[in-house]
Amino acid sequence: MNNKFIPKLKIIPLGGLEEIGRNMTLIEYARDIIIIDMGLQFPEENMPGIDYIIPNIAYLKGKENYIRGVIITHGHFDHIGAIPHIMDRIGNPTIFTAKLTRAMIEKRQEEFDKKEKLSIYTINEQDQIQLGQFKVEFFKVNHNIPDGYGVIVHSPVGTVIHTGDFKFDPTPIGDLPANKEKLAKMGKQGVLALMSDSTGAESPGHSISEKTIMETLGKIIAEAKGRIILATFSSLISRIQQVIFIAEKLGKKVAIEGFSMKTNVEICRKLGYLKTGKKILISTKQALKLPKDKIIILCTGAQGEEAAVLMRIANQDHKEIEIEKGDSVIFSSSVIPGNERSVQRLKDNLTRLGADIFHVKMMDVHAGGHGFVDDLTEMITLTKPKYFIPVHGNHFMLKLHGDIAKNTNLVPEKNIFICDNGQIMEYHKQDETIVGELTKRKVPAGHVMVDGLGVGDVSNVVLRDRQAMAEDGMFVIILTMDGKTGKLVSDPDIISRGFVFMKESKRLIGQTKERIKRIVIDHDPRTSSNDTYIRNKVRDQIGQFLFTKTQRRPMILPVIIEI
Amino acid sequence: MNNKFIPKLKIIPLGGLEEIGRNMTLIEYARDIIIIDMGLQFPEENMPGIDYIIPNIAYLKGKENYIRGVIITHGHFDHIGAIPHIMDRIGNPTIFTAKLTRAMIEKRQEEFDKKEKLSIYTINEQDQIQLGQFKVEFFKVNHNIPDGYGVIVHSPVGTVIHTGDFKFDPTPIGDLPANKEKLAKMGKQGVLALMSDSTGAESPGHSISEKTIMETLGKIIAEAKGRIILATFSSLISRIQQVIFIAEKLGKKVAIEGFSMKTNVEICRKLGYLKTGKKILISTKQALKLPKDKIIILCTGAQGEEAAVLMRIANQDHKEIEIEKGDSVIFSSSVIPGNERSVQRLKDNLTRLGADIFHVKMMDVHAGGHGFVDDLTEMITLTKPKYFIPVHGNHFMLKLHGDIAKNTNLVPEKNIFICDNGQIMEYHKQDETIVGELTKRKVPAGHVMVDGLGVGDVSNVVLRDRQAMAEDGMFVIILTMDGKTGKLVSDPDIISRGFVFMKESKRLIGQTKERIKRIVIDHDPRTSSNDTYIRNKVRDQIGQFLFTKTQRRPMILPVIIEI
């Protein structure tokens, strides 16, 4: 039989391998495709005005009928965020996910005005789901949102494990440790390929247990004389649980501030993912009537986000909470790259108002949700994969994670695949053994930018223009010309924004108008076919003139109005 | 005698107390003013297109004749960078600084086309300089550029110490430890006020010694099989010295790449601040002919700067150096907030080309130039000041540094002055003792922005416009109207940039033109006094229309051309 006709198992990561974010992986065999995660990424600093970036799904066009299901590992936006933008374009296949993640997905879906309703099947860790020729199982992982699961995909060619986001926490709070037994069992049965979370690959040792974080937080909260304001991510449910446990122990009450955090807490309580003792949670109004040492306010805004609760408090813009001397503000989160300076300004403002600040640089008030080098090593030694594919990270992190795998001596170097987004991996049987190949072939995987209602309609031209105008502003020159004589019928009109302050630059504007007139007069006689020529000449010469005068390069836009 | 006529000692920080950068402090007594440092600050992320920010010198207007001298503590841009912009506006007073700093100032001055030449006096640590009623002395500090000095100002009211940037390094490389003896002596004689560097106030313990850094670097370099490329700040002379020492020990050669680093190395060698053994430094051309394990390339670009050497190497844009598998790239620098993502991309690209990356998150390959909590405590216990003024840091850092002072139990809390830029401190004799006061009075200290040739001419209006255009672009609507009838003589002209891609949005543009026409027609009949009214109406209604269609808010600029 010719090799060509034996189907190969394909693994295609559509996102998450050249960035942190927009995680999405396809696993394909013959006419069966399953998708793992469908996340968004926040824009880079050279993408002004962009809301976020989603995976490119061009490869799935025409293959909609082969999609057997979408598996979502957990409820964070870098894993669920692209669902509202993608699902109805791929035929709305069934989503398989855990209870809490389902609620997060449904909550987000409400914010979008979609015709078709999602169809979601709620999974348990014990479930085995047949999706075409794939049999799919799940294993519990620790992360900083409950109900996170890794995925085991049994295919005709072999078993693929995708960890999702994970850490191994022997002492999590309000949760059980990850299911290492199931992983060890898979390791014994034989794992073809392991796709594992690389976010923590730069950090040596084991990730810090949530128990340690809880102890540090407990100490700060117990010792504080005034009120406690603790800011964290609204989706960091395990941190919220810790604070509630601490409050119970110390006889304090907790008020939640911030819409997204309130909603998440409501969802988690309803589904049983957040244990709250009797009357621990009260409203901010009630809290503010209690003695200061009885209050913990849990809120959003630890990243210095413009409109979040903590920023409004710092700007004295919050309608109920005002910082008083002696209040303790705890930043229980890492600072996402790009937010450092906003966070710094936020701390400055809170300090000015009299607050004492605690943050992660000073003590262990936060742990991330991702395993460090030792955890990553353990994942590999448990599963003993034949092939190893680091995922969820920038290329550099994938490479480091590849080195970690190499150091285990369990995976030969040639079986470690450091891939790009869109790059196709293939696995097939050859002489009784399975051979994997990282092919050179790529499916489209470029940035798809979401800006307002537009998905993918912001081109690089538009972005370049935004950047240019941000740098030195723009300068529109309107030439009203007689269509017959080619003469200016009036002085050129100038509109400038973001370049110089017009009121204070009258002289420069006057000189510029004189130059423009000279350029047009020099050019006489003119025919209308010369519009482009005049425009280019004005653009070049006025651009040069303004640069000489100011060393700035505004975007120059000459317009000719013919009358 | 009336108290009013006894002059007070005034200390006025003009910059560096609400930011890291643009350090500048005035010390004033009667008709004598001395200035300490004159630095620049790099712009915040909400200041697109701005080159940098300098201190506001409005307070010195009319007082030029009282300025007795400008003392510069060391050669970093946040201490010398505003000199070319400020000196000729305050009458070009004499600068007093150490030899290397002088050379750095003169080098920078060459980049500006100034009529007046700076007058600079080179100081030694033993010097005592009389500047009006002030006697000024210096004490050696450790920092990551040689020739850094703190300043001791003896005034008729008491002694003020300004540390400049400092750390205490018992084992610096190619340098001596800071002069603690002189500080202790001052402490015994009595110090009125200590102004001390707060940059490291968040970090517990002692700062890492350069010796430790040298050991780690030595180990990496000794173990590497391929070439070494080490990137650091061009002004980090002590790091450059370490690498040269390591190269000598290991029998390797060093090539310097990057214009600013080359210049700095040249200056330092000439002045004896960099010890280079025989023929250690060679050109890159020569280096590339040697065996790979004999080469260290020292270069700029560890911050991911667009045009720097390391970025060009990573982009395969460098004319001589190409990354080969097995090269080790060491990032020997911290990442300045705001640069994280560029650095991440840089590491990704280098990894792709086959390099092994070492950076500070993974091991001790860099130490900053600023003391940590224990160093800061020691500075206070040595000098035993009556008043303490934390400087050089954001408000939050100043506050933490104030807490450090409080914890020494040497300075009473009421004598710790956490100031803002521009805030006036006053000290005067009262009943045989000196009384200090942090007044509520402020001199102008707002941002002065430098953009190209313009100093202070970019207003908040201009910045706001740049930000708005960066966010959603702009949309110019040109209405050519008959001045008599108020009717449109042709279809409206539209220029849009950074909003939507025009070619792909023909339908939207067509609909918009129709709407504009309707607005103008509805408005008939019209008089020319109604121009503003029509423009506002077009701006509001078209703005709303485009938002409904796209959920973007471009800046809308209606122009009426009357013919």
Side-chain angles (χ1 to χ4, degrees), chain A residues 44 345 420 457 466 498 552, chain B residues 44 345 352 457 466 498:
Chain A
E44 307 273 331
R345 276 193 296 272
D420 287 340
D457 69 333
R466 288 185 186 174
R552 298 177 201 169
Chain B
E44 308 273 331
R345 276 193 297 273
R352 266 174 206 287
D457 70 332
R466 287 185 187 175

Side-chain angles (χ1 to χ4, degrees), chain A residues 335-345, chain B residues 45 337-340:
Chain A
V335 179
I336 294 173
N339 293 350
E340 289 78 6
R341 293 208 267 190
S342 321
V343 173
Q344 186 59 59
R345 276 193 296 272
Chain B
E45 63 268 49
N339 293 350
E340 289 79 7

